[in-house]
Amino acid sequence: MAETTTPSAPARAKRKERVGEVISSKMAKTIVVRVERRFAHPKFKKVVTGYKKLYAHDEKSEAKVGDRVRLEETRPLSKIKRWRLVEIVERGTGVTPVAA
């Protein structure tokens, strides 16, 4: 008898993950997260902090302003939303920043 082997499905590529702070949760099922990136300046070699605003899908609307969250890359969900909330890493203090 010949063994029948089923071809395994190709493994999905590793998705990008980012950790950042929620700066807005006023939209329905959407949060805005500020992700921090530290890198050496190409010319001056000084460590620079860069920030990026990412829009993420929050199905249960559980993330609040000030929370640290983990996001995962996903297919385009809307014009600007390409990320999905995976988990809330740390709850915020509930105090909203004056200027972000």
Side-chain angles (χ1 to χ4, degrees):
M1 273 177 134
E3 286 186 37
T4 57
T5 58
T6 57
S8 61
R12 186 167 68 189
K14 188 77 175 153
R15 294 184 175 195
K16 294 177 191 172
E17 284 195 349
R18 300 285 184 262
V19 176
E21 182 182 353
V22 178
I23 57 174
S24 174
S25 61
K26 292 183 178 181
M27 291 175 273
K29 296 185 179 185
T30 302
I31 54 174
V32 183
V33 180
R34 186 179 72 178
V35 175
E36 181 180 294
R37 183 175 81 97
R38 295 174 63 82
F39 58 97
H41 188 280
K43 183 175 182 180
F44 302 114
K45 307 304 181 207
K46 182 178 177 181
V47 176
V48 184
T49 305
Y51 296 97
K52 194 76 168 179
K53 265 188 352 182
L54 303 176
Y55 289 74
H57 185 68
D58 181 8
E59 183 65 37
K60 299 172 192 158
S61 298
E62 55 191 5
K64 303 290 181 238
V65 174
D67 293 352
R68 290 194 63 75
V69 295
R70 177 172 285 115
L71 304 177
E72 184 180 60
E73 191 178 40
T74 186
R75 64 183 174 82
L77 299 171
S78 71
K79 182 179 176 182
I80 54 176
K81 201 163 41 165
R82 266 76 171 144
W83 296 85
R84 177 172 60 87
L85 175 68
V86 176
E87 68 169 329
I88 298 173
V89 177
E90 180 183 335
R91 286 283 179 192
T93 57
V95 179
T96 58
V98 177

